Amino acid sequence: MPIVTEDSSKIQVSPGQLFIGGKWQNGADTLETINPATGEVITTFAEAGSREVDSAVKAAREAFPAWRDTPPAKRGKLLWKLADLIGRDRERLATLETIDNGKPYFESGKIDIPFTAEIFRYFAGWATKIHGSTLPARGATFAYTRREPLGVVGLIIPWNLPLVMCSWKLGPALATGNTCVLKPAEQTPLTALALADLIKEAGFPDGVVNIITGRGTVTGAELVKHPDVNKISFTGSVPVGREIMKSAAETLKKVTLELGGKSPNIIFADANIDSAIKGAVNGIFYGKGELCCAGSRLLVDKSIHTQVVDGIKALVAKMQVGDPFDKKTRIGALVSKEQMKKVLGYINIGKEDGASVVAGGARAEMSGEFANGCFVQPTVFDNVNENMRIAREEIFGPVLAVIPFENEDEALAIANNVDFGLAAAVWTSDISRAHRFADKLEAGTVWINTINMFDPALPFGGFKQSGFGRDLGEDALDGYLQTKSIWVNLS
Ligand code: ADP
């Protein structure tokens, strides 16, 4: 039991181990996880080396035949039970998420953790609804298909939505009868380790879910390389996605990649401007901008440009940056010093490239216990040119690039003129235009007159270099199933 709670405001964490075959085991090395709001070490956790990764894969392989043959209704009940336990422990999990990631407690407590439970419930329902079909094959035959699990799947999780991402991957993988080795990000291992305890408590058989921690270049790379892992499902950055695909090619593993974005948020003059301004602010600053779908490029009709930028500035001026546990805080700490450095680097690039800073533009200086925290002011660049680096590259921080446009054709061309294609939003009261954009935008998700909406039933994933395969929805099941055709001679 690596994590013990006294109350929701004080979390004691004892040295972490690896959850393999239903037991806690030592790793090859020990790492530290840091509270990015204070710079203090929260605790140490284990790193799995090649030996421990191998043990985790072996445990998953041993558990696979029985799990695959477990009645689907029982698999569904276990997932539902896990969701109940997450609900029961909401405060503790939200507290761990906030100290490990730096995000405001209202985000982890009100949104992330309840959403995690909802996703497990959604996939619990799917466990009993996976089936093949009968087909009219040639000759005197009876032909049918079965939808079967892949076997052992490796799930590699990013640090921005640590527990939510565990459910996006574990939910469909387990509902379809796969066994799992899950690796959270080294910046945010705590909620995944807490989840291991709940998985045990829910009654999942040992070895069905193994949770191993460690650096991506060590534990993650070993998992991707392992010859007995059938599939890797990864959410994270484009360069790492590329590495994973290359490495997985050696053993011809199946791969699902959910990568970065540079999502356009497009406001037309006929939109409800107040809603669009709020949407623009939430679209980029929710989650400190550390969201793959963040609306980081704001395309605004020239005729309303000043009105929109002024509206955004007014809302940003009211946003509290600081203590993630303060109820009024809207922007917490970025996840790490490295991430803060990267974001501040992009802010400098924006300035050097000639964009004008109309809000923020620097580190947010704090005092007292937060003096070493990784806080960055919510930053808005105006008059950005679509070819500037801040308009093309994923910053993954609270930095908005405002790009004015003349007309619909220009807006669409700018929106699609990036390598990414994860999400996009359009604000307009012209229903035909809204659907024209829904059709023409190169993105896996299009929001119309809203932004950053998620539901377990709606598939999420990328076009272009934002990846392939889908999380959530019925589509997510496809990534964890393979089809078998069966022929029966009737003559
Ligand atoms: P970011 O760049 O935003 O920190 P990453 O893509 O590096 O995100 O990390 C996402 C996840 O991928 C983390 O769990 C990380 O440990 C893991 N990871 C990083 N590098 C590798 C790698 N070479 N092989 C496998 N997993 C990796």
Side-chain angles (χ1 to χ4, degrees):
M1 188 84 165
I3 294 162
V4 186
T5 319
E6 276 186 349
D7 61 54
S8 63
S9 61
K10 188 159 182 279
I11 302 282
Q12 284 185 351
V13 191
S14 62
Q17 291 178 301
L18 310 168
F19 185 69
I20 298 176
K23 293 184 187 63
W24 290 102
Q25 301 183 15
N26 290 330
D29 211 338
T30 301
L31 305 172
E32 290 177 337
T33 182
I34 289 167
N35 177 345
T38 62
E40 281 166 8
V41 174
I42 308 165
T43 187
T44 54
F45 63 98
E47 176 164 79
S50 61
R51 220 156 47 116
E52 293 77 20
V53 171
D54 188 51
S55 303
V57 174
K58 281 207 172 88
R61 180 59 62 192
E62 273 165 32
F64 176 61
W67 182 244
R68 169 196 193 275
D69 293 337
T70 297
K74 184 158 181 214
R75 291 205 300 264
K77 272 187 195 149
L78 287 167
L79 285 164
W80 195 276
K81 172 85 181 160
L82 181 59
D84 287 345
L85 296 177
I86 290 167
R88 182 197 70 191
D89 288 0
R90 179 181 67 86
E91 283 186 17
R92 179 175 74 113
L93 294 167
T95 304
L96 285 172
E97 204 77 298
T98 287
I99 51 175
D100 220 10
N101 168 284
K103 63 173 64 196
Y105 182 76
F106 96 87
E107 286 185 15
S108 36
K110 289 232 162 24
I111 298 159
D112 291 10
I113 308 301
F115 188 43
T116 302
E118 228 186 284
I119 289 160
F120 277 121
R121 288 204 177 93
Y122 172 81
F123 284 110
W126 269 115
T128 49
K129 293 161 197 71
I130 292 154
H131 56 80
S133 24
T134 58
L135 298 145
R138 70 179 69 210
T141 57
F142 166 51
Y144 64 98
T145 56
R146 291 170 50 88
R147 302 269 281 150
E148 297 189 359
L150 302 176
V152 175
V153 295
L155 311 174
I156 300 181
I157 305 293
W159 44 255
N160 60 342
L161 294 159
L163 200 63
V164 172
M165 289 296 137
C166 290
S167 67
W168 283 30
K169 310 233 179 261
L170 283 174
L174 293 170
T176 48
N178 296 277
T179 54
C180 306
V181 179
L182 179 141
K183 192 201 89 64
E186 54 269 44
Q187 295 86 348
T188 55
L190 297 182
T191 45
L193 292 170
L195 187 69
D197 283 332
L198 301 184
I199 283 166
K200 182 103 184 154
E201 187 181 342
F204 282 87
D206 291 348
V208 167
V209 182
N210 305 276
I211 297 186
I212 55 173
T213 45
R215 282 166 291 179
T217 47
V218 179
T219 315
E222 290 291 341
L223 186 58
V224 176
K225 234 169 47 187
H226 199 291
D228 204 27
V229 172
N230 300 97
K231 186 219 165 99
I232 293 289
S233 179
F234 168 79
T235 296
S237 61
V238 171
V240 174
R242 208 170 274 132
E243 277 304 303
I244 286 179
M245 212 168 147
K246 274 192 214 149
S247 167
E250 285 297 314
T251 45
L252 284 175
K253 282 185 183 63
K254 293 164 182 59
V255 177
T256 293
L257 303 176
E258 199 266 271
L259 308 175
K262 194 73 193 174
S263 299
N265 185 16
I266 309 159
I267 308 183
F268 285 98
D270 62 4
N272 175 331
I273 306 290
D274 284 345
S275 304
I277 288 170
K278 281 189 201 126
V281 169
N282 288 334
I284 181 64
F285 297 121
Y286 183 83
K288 312 162 260 165
E290 293 172 336
L291 289 190
C292 47
C293 60
S296 52
R297 289 186 298 149
L298 185 69
L299 279 48
V300 190
D301 193 317
K302 272 201 174 125
S303 64
I304 51 162
H305 173 219
T306 310
Q307 183 189 355
V308 170
V309 171
D310 286 349
I312 290 173
K313 272 161 57 183
L315 289 183
V316 168
K318 285 195 253 165
M319 286 181 107
Q320 179 168 310
V321 183
D323 178 3
F325 284 98
D326 184 327
K327 285 201 177 78
K328 291 196 232 82
T329 293
R330 286 295 167 271
I331 304 229
L334 300 196
V335 75
S336 63
K337 281 221 157 67
E338 294 72 40
Q339 188 60 18
M340 179 171 70
K341 225 172 117 191
K342 181 182 160 203
V343 172
L344 292 174
Y346 269 111
I347 290 176
N348 276 337
I349 290 169
K351 289 174 184 169
E352 280 165 18
D353 286 351
S356 33
V357 178
V358 294
R363 184 174 179 177
E365 300 298 338
M366 298 285 155
S367 56
E369 65 174 309
F370 301 110
N372 287 323
C374 305
F375 297 96
V376 172
Q377 296 171 353
T379 296
V380 180
F381 278 104
D382 195 9
N383 294 317
V384 175
N385 175 300
E386 63 174 309
N387 296 316
M388 289 179 184
R389 284 183 65 192
I390 57 164
R392 309 196 65 77
E393 297 174 22
E394 187 177 42
I395 299 174
F396 225 61
V399 181
L400 180 65
V402 182
I403 309 172
F405 65 81
E406 296 275 1
N407 55 44
E408 194 176 307
D409 287 348
E410 195 192 6
L412 185 65
I414 297 172
N416 286 339
N417 184 23
V418 284
D419 295 331
F420 299 107
L422 195 58
V426 187
W427 303 81
T428 178
S429 57
D430 177 340
I431 191 167
S432 303
R433 170 150 61 198
H435 287 288
R436 273 198 300 278
F437 270 70
D439 176 29
K440 294 285 185 309
L441 282 166
E442 295 164 357
T445 293
V446 176
W447 290 293
I448 296 170
N449 295 330
T450 185
I451 195 161
N452 280 1
M453 295 287 287
F454 281 89
D455 189 280
L458 269 284
F460 185 80
F463 280 27
K464 304 198 282 191
Q465 290 189 25
S466 290
F468 44 81
R470 291 292 177 267
D471 287 309
L472 301 182
E474 187 176 354
D475 290 42
L477 304 169
D478 294 341
Y480 297 97
L481 288 166
Q482 51 196 344
T483 302
K484 183 185 278 174
S485 294
I486 295 124
W487 293 74
V488 184
N489 183 352
L490 296 182
S491 61

